[in-house]
Amino acid sequence: MSSHHVIHTTAAPNRRPTYYLWVTIALLLAGFVLRVWDLGQPSLWADEVMTEFRAEAPLRDSLESILKTIDQTPFYFLALRLFPTGSNELLLRFPSALMGVIGMAVVMFVFTRLYKRYDMALWGGAWLAFNPYHIWLSRTARGYSLIFVLAVLVSYFFLMLWYRGYSRRTWTLLTLTSMIAYFTHYSMLALPVAQFVLLGMHWRNKSALMRRWFIAQIVAALPMAFWFLLMVINMTAREPQWGPRPLVVDVVLSLRNMTVGYDGYLKWYSLPGLAVALVAIGFTLRYWNKQVVNNLYWVVLLTMPITLVFIVSLFSLNLYVDRYFMVLFPGLVFIVSYGLAYLARHGWPVVLACFALTGGVTVGLSIYHHDIQRENWRDAARYTEAEYQPDDIFVVDRAVTLISFKRYFHVTEPLHVIQLSETDEVIPPSDPEKRYWVIYRSPHEDIHRLSAMKAFDPLESNHTVTSQWLSSRINCVVDYKVFNGVTMLLLNGCQPPVIEPGTAD
């Protein structure tokens, strides 16, 4: 048989065991339960609120909202319009949770097709089923679980072409999935970066593949390029919302988060899963056939883009946020799962128990303690409703803050609002006869957390526009209450801030 008809693997192929189907179903059910358990309980956080708006608003308003955000592309939001969301947290998040389970199935399929190893497929599905990073992002009404599926599929079609050569069907599938991927999120550009690096390393033997690949990438990028042009035409100034520049330790924390957790902490029950993952990576390096490109591609996909993002974030635009690395996550999944198949030979029950303990306990305790609620708008709105008076004025930083609050604030009459940024309206002086409600979202964006953010002192001065507005009115604060990710402050009897002679612009 000629070599171009063979899918090269890094180990001898094995037959499908009789229990494969039943174990696969059990793993998919376990992954499904962890992704939908208590899915509708937490309040939507600001990004999810915008997802809901874009899925339910008139199409023109939805597209305008995505354009103004600058860093978003529309495919996920347009696709979500096909599902009944009904202003319901569970229904809004369910497509992402379902796509998370589909991601497990796709990983297992790729293992059986690309590696011809059913044991690796089972370990890949098992590790992904209990992986907290993938679970949290699958429980969020954002496109991250879709990003994972697209990243695996694009990578699979690319590697199939690498081994089989020209195939019209596979080229079509690579171009189509790449087009959808780029139109889903800008982070998906990590995929052609990894592919280009791999092609560059083998350009002498893969020159024909590289030429066809360039053509496919140009075609795949056309919708994204058109959207980018529209974004530039409609660009408006936005207040930066990023945290401090990343450090080298942040890269280590990101890889740890993708391995054993996504809550900002390393607990004792995370250690077994972390140890198993590290040893599995060691086994991958030990049994890695360097003549085969599969694992090399996953290493490049995991390391090259995260390095580029880190460097860009140090010297230019800060793009470093862990959830954006979902496009790189397939690299870690295949690297770890490959090694797990060898590690499991030394005692598979212990291996399974270690990462099942880490994933199950991490997710279970977070749900039990309500740590999965990033912004508790529901309780913040209930608290305000009990104290609200019709003439009260609300102070917000951005429109999304007000939209998030109003979703849970059951008052029918129009609200009096002062918006501090992303608006051309002049901020009026304080009226001593009025009461002011300041809706203060947490100013501390933690790049390593998607769950409940750390508590903050709303009276402490910082760089945000909300803090600057409050700084001259601290004495007016008569009450405030802290919730996950948001604080409600009530101000009464505020005098206009005093401007010293000679200090006015």
Side-chain angles (χ1 to χ4, degrees), residues 95-393:
S96 294
L98 184 61
M99 190 59 63
V101 179
I102 292 174
M104 294 173 52
V106 171
V107 164
M108 298 178 72
F109 168 79
V110 171
F111 261 120
T112 60
R113 292 285 294 164
L114 200 58
Y115 290 85
K116 301 295 184 181
R117 294 293 301 265
Y118 289 94
D119 55 340
M120 290 181 182
L122 291 177
W123 284 109
W127 194 70
L128 193 57
F130 293 99
N131 182 274
Y133 176 79
H134 191 265
I135 291 172
W136 290 139
L137 290 175
S138 299
R139 293 174 59 92
T140 302
R142 300 292 285 180
Y144 300 113
S145 56
L146 173 62
I147 286 173
F148 178 83
V149 171
L150 290 170
V152 175
L153 289 176
V154 170
S155 300
Y156 168 66
F157 294 133
F158 173 75
L159 290 172
M160 290 287 283
L161 287 168
W162 184 280
Y163 290 120
R164 288 188 171 179
Y166 181 79
S167 167
R168 180 176 298 178
R169 177 185 176 187
T170 309
W171 275 115
T172 301
L173 290 172
L174 174 65
T175 305
L176 181 61
T177 52
S178 297
M179 182 181 295
I180 296 173
Y182 306 155
F183 210 41
T184 298
H185 201 274
Y186 289 123
S187 66
M188 302 301 280
L189 294 175
L191 296 172
V193 169
Q195 294 165 18
F196 179 76
V197 170
L198 203 65
L199 287 167
M201 295 170 65
H202 299 80
W203 68 272
R204 293 182 182 273
N205 300 323
K206 296 293 181 179
S207 57
L209 176 65
M210 182 176 284
R211 287 194 297 270
R212 296 190 184 101
W213 179 84
F214 269 116
I215 296 173
Q217 294 306 306
I218 292 173
V219 174
L222 288 176
M224 185 197 66
F226 176 72
W227 180 261
F228 185 79
L229 178 62
L230 289 178
M231 183 196 72
V232 172
I233 294 174
N234 292 274
M235 184 173 292
T236 57
R238 296 182 71 233
E239 176 195 357
Q241 301 294 319
W242 306 109
R245 303 291 181 187
L247 305 174
V248 174
V249 68
D250 286 306
V251 177
V252 178
L253 293 175
S254 296
L255 294 175
R256 183 211 67 185
N257 280 356
M258 287 190 278
T259 305
V260 296
Y262 196 18
D263 57 1
Y265 300 102
L266 184 62
K267 302 291 184 63
W268 67 265
Y269 46 78
S270 300
L271 297 179
L274 181 61
V276 164
L278 292 176
V279 175
I281 292 173
F283 272 88
T284 298
L285 298 176
R286 168 65 177 83
Y287 293 102
W288 183 354
N289 184 345
K290 295 182 179 179
Q291 302 303 315
V292 181
V293 78
N294 295 349
N295 288 345
L296 177 60
Y297 172 80
W298 301 124
V299 170
V300 172
L301 176 62
L302 178 64
T303 59
M304 183 63 69
I306 199 172
T307 302
L308 293 176
V309 169
F310 179 80
I311 294 173
V312 169
S313 299
L314 281 181
F315 300 103
S316 182
L317 183 63
N318 188 0
L319 305 173
Y320 197 99
V321 181
D322 277 5
R323 59 182 181 268
Y324 294 166
F325 297 145
M326 182 59 100
V327 64
L328 319 178
F329 186 54
L332 184 61
V333 172
F334 280 90
I335 292 170
V336 171
S337 303
Y338 183 92
L340 282 176
Y342 292 98
L343 175 61
R345 297 176 182 177
H346 300 273
W348 69 265
V350 176
V351 174
L352 179 62
C354 283
F355 63 73
L357 171 68
T358 291
V361 172
T362 298
V363 174
L365 287 180
S366 295
I367 293 176
Y368 177 78
H369 293 299
H370 302 291
D371 289 339
I372 58 175
Q373 186 157 241
R374 184 174 177 86
E375 294 172 349
N376 189 359
W377 292 108
R378 183 181 288 108
D379 288 344
R382 289 175 181 171
Y383 162 75
T384 309
E385 285 174 7
E387 305 292 336
Y388 172 74
Q389 297 176 11
D391 290 333
D392 289 350
I393 300 174

